[in-house]
Amino acid sequence: MTVAAKKGEIQRVIEHLKEKYPRSPWVVAGDFNIVSSTWTVEQAVKQGKISRETVATLNSIERMWRVEEEGLGVEDAWVVGRAALGEGLVQEEEHMNIDDDMDESEDGDNRLFAGEQGATYDPMRNDVAAKVVGSGGNMRPQRYDRILVRGQQVLRIGRFNRFGFVKADQEKGEGHEMGQYASDHWGVRCLLKVVQQAGEQTTEKTVEEKSGVTALETSIRLVKPPAGPLSEPGSLKEAMAELNIFPSQEETAKRKAAFQALKAILLDTPPPNQSPHHPSTDSSSEPQRPPTQPPLIITPVGSFALGVHTSSSDIDVLAIGPFSTSTFFSLAIQRLRRASSSPLYSQHQPKILRRIHSSTGTMLELSISQIKFDLQYCPAAHIASHWPRILSTAPPGNAVWSLPALTLTKLKAARDLDYLRRTVPDLAVFREAHRA
């Protein structure tokens, strides 16, 4: 089916809903089978498979449901769920460790193009989909399956997630066989809540009467960009690549390896390329963490974690754990010095550049693989014990965040990162726009 035919089908669905149910809530769910990956579209244009007019038609399909002039007000459950807080937070695949999601910012997410986040069809991860595509086919992730909701002040999108994944250990190769996936698509589901209209209206009116403040609404008019060399699909990215604005793949891989080496040093675990059965250090003389003691969390923050770093950027790292600040930095310095003389870390050349004391606490400036790191520590045992799920299960007003001001300051970078990763609808587009 052509793109124009798909647009015609969707237009007929919209016209039917407008005619038969003009004031009712709508829920439209299913496999829309519309290409979402901009990489796929750009490659099709370059290969002459589709025209520029087809690209314009494809882009217009995305906008059809959101035409405010016609009063549609249809929301994409994935976009809303990703942006919401607390109970509305996107509940990702239930089997996945959220640490993997944080790692995705350092690894997998950086390779995603616009329109590939939240994919429900991914031949690169789903063997059934890969078999359907076959060799030489388009292997890029696509968000084919969607749930669209027009609430009409009756329904509200509560939660959204995808399902149908294999377990994490199976996906890593332990017992992974064809047939463990139920389908070449992953499923999507959404929790809709009925809005208590009368109660909410009364409450809102009371608040407005008490405050004396009238809500301000600002209309936004979309302006089509003028025709030019940068208006073509993929032209902005190509121009930025020619200017070497994007870090090279080799440089990105070097930064990932350097971070993993630092993480292994601080946690006193074998290096990434070392077998866990052959410990890299003898830590028998150091105090061991009791099984009931909270873990030590090492997580990237800042531009590197968000995927908007440049070739000259430092890598900001936050450690969260149960120790006091002085104990952590004593152990960190001890382990860094030991690693600097260990042949296991010779390729990374770990160095302590200086120790900085300021009003916001202590920070170590480090060099790993000739890349600068800024290491900070936050003593927060409860946060470390429930990391990273606590970011989604404890909204900003939750009592768990009733912490000293200095502790909250240290955690701010990680919380801001989590908020941005959830609220930005398409991180690939955001990263490109940020660098532009």
Side-chain angles (χ1 to χ4, degrees):
M1 182 182 292
T2 65
V3 174
K6 290 180 181 178
K7 180 177 180 180
E9 278 193 345
I10 293 177
Q11 187 63 53
R12 286 192 291 273
V13 171
I14 292 176
E15 292 301 328
H16 171 76
L17 291 172
K18 289 169 60 178
E19 179 184 353
K20 301 295 184 180
Y21 310 98
R23 298 181 181 178
S24 302
W26 301 346
V27 178
V28 183
D31 177 7
F32 285 68
N33 201 27
I34 297 173
V35 173
S36 63
S37 168
T38 56
W39 187 92
T40 301
V41 175
E42 291 167 12
Q43 292 301 309
V45 172
K46 291 178 180 179
Q47 296 170 12
K49 295 181 178 179
I50 62 175
S51 65
R52 301 294 182 189
E53 290 75 15
T54 302
V55 176
T57 302
L58 189 61
N59 293 334
S60 68
I61 294 176
E62 292 283 346
R63 298 191 293 268
M64 290 173 64
W65 296 99
R66 301 194 298 267
V67 180
E68 294 184 5
E69 291 81 359
E70 298 183 10
L72 297 186
V74 177
E75 296 179 304
D76 189 320
W78 177 77
V79 175
V80 174
R82 184 176 179 83
L85 292 172
E87 64 180 5
L89 177 68
V90 174
Q91 304 296 317
E92 281 294 350
E93 302 84 81
E94 294 172 353
H95 75 281
M96 294 184 68
N97 187 328
I98 298 186
D99 281 326
D100 296 334
D101 185 56
M102 183 65 75
D103 291 340
E104 202 175 341
S105 66
E106 311 153 21
D107 191 336
D109 228 9
N110 282 336
R111 63 174 172 80
L112 292 182
F113 294 88
E116 296 181 350
Q117 280 192 298
T120 61
Y121 182 84
D122 189 352
M124 295 191 297
R125 291 181 60 190
N126 188 319
D127 289 343
V128 180
K131 186 178 180 180
V132 172
V133 172
S135 60
N138 175 27
M139 301 291 286
R140 298 307 306 179
Q142 309 289 343
R143 195 162 71 89
Y144 286 145
D145 306 270
R146 307 189 183 194
I147 300 176
L148 306 179
V149 180
R150 186 178 82 156
Q152 290 292 87
Q153 299 182 343
V154 175
L155 297 178
R156 178 173 62 85
I157 297 172
R159 298 185 184 184
F160 175 92
N161 74 350
R162 298 172 292 169
F163 62 93
F165 296 84
V166 297
K167 293 183 178 179
D169 58 346
Q170 294 173 332
E171 194 168 47
K172 293 177 181 177
E174 299 179 13
H176 183 62
E177 300 175 357
M178 182 70 71
Q180 290 180 333
Y181 291 99
S183 170
D184 56 339
H185 287 233
W186 291 315
V188 292
R189 55 191 171 194
C190 172
L191 173 65
L192 298 176
K193 296 195 173 184
V194 178
V195 177
Q196 300 295 329
Q197 292 178 297
E200 289 187 359
Q201 290 174 355
T202 302
T203 303
E204 291 174 359
K205 184 177 180 181
T206 303
V207 171
E208 289 185 4
E209 288 176 348
K210 288 183 178 179
S211 62
V213 177
T214 303
L216 298 178
E217 294 185 1
T218 303
S219 60
I220 300 176
R221 184 171 61 90
L222 298 179
V223 179
K224 186 176 181 179
L230 291 181
S231 64
E232 301 296 334
S235 57
L236 177 60
K237 182 174 290 186
E238 291 175 358
M240 294 169 66
E242 291 178 2
L243 296 173
N244 296 319
I245 293 177
F246 298 108
S248 65
Q249 292 183 352
E250 293 76 11
E251 184 178 351
T252 301
K254 182 180 179 181
R255 285 175 173 265
K256 296 173 189 173
F259 169 75
Q260 294 299 331
L262 174 60
K263 186 175 181 179
I265 292 171
L266 295 176
L267 296 178
D268 199 26
T269 58
N273 58 351
Q274 176 84 3
S275 170
H277 300 295
H278 297 83
S280 61
T281 57
D282 179 14
S283 59
S284 59
S285 60
E286 297 180 7
Q288 300 296 312
R289 180 174 62 87
T292 57
Q293 186 169 318
L296 177 62
I297 304 299
I298 308 295
T299 183
V301 293
S303 62
F304 175 70
L306 195 55
V308 296
H309 60 283
T310 64
S311 301
S312 59
S313 300
D314 297 347
I315 297 180
D316 297 311
V317 177
L318 176 66
I320 309 171
F323 318 113
S324 67
T325 300
S326 58
T327 299
F328 168 78
F329 281 109
S330 295
L331 283 174
I333 291 172
Q334 177 185 346
R335 292 172 179 176
L336 285 162
R337 287 175 176 169
R338 185 174 57 197
S340 64
S341 59
S342 170
L344 296 174
Y345 292 98
S346 57
Q347 61 176 329
H348 298 292
Q349 302 176 340
K351 296 178 183 177
I352 300 175
L353 302 180
R354 61 173 177 163
R355 182 171 181 170
I356 301 175
H357 298 279
S358 66
S359 58
T360 58
T362 304
M363 182 179 75
L364 283 183
E365 285 190 358
L366 311 172
S367 174
I368 311 288
S369 300
Q370 299 181 337
I371 299 171
K372 287 188 65 177
F373 283 77
D374 292 337
L375 174 64
Q376 299 194 56
Y377 176 72
C378 174
H382 181 75
I383 302 298
S385 298
H386 298 85
W387 187 269
R389 289 194 177 277
I390 196 167
L391 294 171
S392 61
T393 57
N398 194 289
V400 76
W401 302 113
S402 299
L403 300 169
L406 185 57
T407 301
L408 289 175
T409 300
K410 294 288 185 181
L411 290 171
K412 187 176 186 300
R415 297 176 69 189
D416 288 350
L417 171 66
D418 171 74
Y419 181 79
L420 285 173
R421 284 173 55 80
R422 288 187 285 101
T423 56
V424 173
D426 197 319
L427 279 174
V429 173
F430 170 80
R431 287 166 179 149
E432 186 174 325
H434 184 279
R435 287 192 165 107

